[in-house]
Amino acid sequence: MKVAIVGTGYVGLVTGTCFAEMGVDVTCIDVNKEKINNLKKGISPIYEPGLDELIVKNMAKGRLSFSTSLADNLENTDIVFSAVGTPPDEDGSADLQYVLEVARTIGQNINHYILVVTKSTVPVGTAQKVKNAINVELEKLGKNIEFDIASNPEFLKEGNAVKDFLFPDRIVVGIESQKAQELMAKLYKPFTLNGHNVIYMDVPSAEMTKYAANAMLATRISFMNEIANLCDKVGANVSNVRKGIGSDTRIGSKFLYSGIGYGGSCFPKDVKALFRTAEENGIELKVVKAVEQANEEQKLILYSKMKAICPDLKNKTIAFWGLSFKPETDDMREAPSLYLLKAFSSAGCKIRVYDPIAMEETKRRLPDLQNVTYCKDEYEVTQGADALLLLTEWKEFRLPDWKRVKENMKELVLLDGRNIYDGNELKAMGFHYEGIGIR
Ligand code: NAD
């Protein structure tokens, strides 16, 4: 089977590499020449545990190749996956220009039956737009070539993407024809041998499933953040509350952690896009709107806590442990740290930061930010700090040498944005400790 993946980002590269790992002949395509040139040398553009090894291995086996041209890679191809970006438009709706550009290129260049699968997260109705765009190009050329469209939203988590793809909980596939279902069943068979199932449905339902899943997860996070903020006020401990409710099988224990708000490339934009889709259809998703509003405020919760401890922050030195929106990724899209960096910088603070992977990307995103020092490790960053803020729970921050941290710091304020530390231990050492919903 021959597959082309268009868009070699977090999703496309992981998808293509994992299909190749199962023996499929894969070409990953991207318009970014630098990305493709580096990949041809085995250099991955992203940090994702386990991915680099699989890329190199499958290139060596001749099953994985890279190209900048979709047109040159349609011949003999059975399935084309579109995994290009769908960033938010100015009004929050998903920008489909890349998805439709791919569709037009397919329409201009196919000469045989092909299955066109949208893997990007796209609003309901997009697969139909893809179909129309291909048909328009075929009509222009006077060609009558059979093709199918399908929707196959991706549920991988950055930082665990390879494992998520190789061992999926479920695979959602929206199809319109028997032929498309058979092709997808063949492609995904190796991933389902251990019992995980492919759920087939109509295309609009598959498109909606992705948004509903992300909105539900974002809702759990914002809900727990609000409960945590209330716990702070009333003297309850959110960790106990989480265990108490998570043990209810109707609720379940996952995604009930409070923190500094969700970020990343998916939840913020998908929540906004779902809200826009509803508005366009004359419906207001009140819960989804509130989820987003609560998250916007939560991203600055550590700044508010710091202001309550020290109203005049001018010239204070604030140390950050972690910058990426979650561990094991260098993705800084919508990371709460970006909001906190700007807030503390505007307040006249000196900011010292350390992240094992995401510092270069932070510099690229905030090149003009004043008073930021990028440090070499988790101890250097605490030198002379008036407060230490844990933003990302990278493993190397989980069991630090607190004595060393204490010696380095000027004032002993520790704000734990991920609730991973033992507050009692830290208080006994003289720290002012606050978590999110834990004191
Ligand atoms: P990304 O920005 O990392 O990668 C997108 C790639 O597409 C870029 O490399 C870009 O150069 C390329 N591209 C754009 N137009 C192109 C074209 N015409 N031809 C070829 N390449 C083109 O994006 P991503 O994070 O991989 O996300 C892709 C899609 O998958 C989005 O819709 C996203 O919402 C969805 N998704 C992402 C994740 C995630 O964790 N990142 C998870 C599930 C779903």
Side-chain angles (χ1 to χ4, degrees), residues 13 17 34-46 50-60 64-66:
L13 185 57
T17 307
E34 193 190 342
K35 206 178 248 193
I36 293 300
N37 285 339
N38 280 332
L39 279 162
K40 282 179 177 172
K41 292 180 217 151
I43 302 167
S44 168
I46 54 168
L51 183 62
D52 296 23
E53 296 85 330
L54 286 188
I55 292 172
V56 172
K57 175 182 156 193
N58 283 286
M59 282 172 75
L64 181 61
S65 58
F66 298 95

Side-chain angles (χ1 to χ4, degrees), residues 5-14 28-33 35-36 45-46 48 67-70 82-87 94-103 105 118-122 152-159 161 210-211 214 264-267 269-270 325-326 329 331 333:
I5 314 274
V6 196
T8 309
Y10 284 86
V11 168
L13 185 57
V14 172
C28 285
I29 295 148
D30 204 287
V31 284
N32 184 329
K33 289 192 182 103
K35 206 178 248 193
I36 293 300
I46 54 168
E48 192 60 55
S67 170
T68 52
S69 170
L70 172 58
S82 180
V84 294
T86 47
D95 179 352
L96 297 178
Q97 61 169 310
Y98 307 110
V99 172
L100 295 177
E101 195 181 311
V102 171
T105 308
T118 303
K119 196 162 239 328
S120 306
T121 303
V122 292
N152 175 214
E154 183 48 57
F155 298 97
L156 61 76
K157 298 181 287 299
E158 284 177 19
K210 175 65 190 175
Y211 282 103
N214 277 358
S265 66
C266 293
F267 289 179
K269 87 169 168 55
D270 294 348
F325 84 97
K326 68 175 180 178
T329 182
D331 199 338
R333 287 178 278 189

Side-chain angles (χ1 to χ4, degrees), residues 221-240:
I221 294 173
S222 276
F223 175 80
M224 281 313 285
N225 283 338
E226 289 202 318
I227 294 292
N229 295 343
L230 185 57
C231 284
D232 269 341
K233 297 283 179 211
V234 298
N237 179 325
V238 77
S239 287
N240 293 335

Side-chain angles (χ1 to χ4, degrees), residues 107 110-113 134-147:
I110 44 169
N111 289 311
H112 66 285
Y113 172 87
I134 296 173
N135 273 327
V136 167
E137 297 305 320
L138 286 173
E139 271 167 36
K140 278 189 205 162
L141 295 167
K143 286 184 179 173
N144 182 13
I145 294 169
E146 191 198 347
F147 68 93

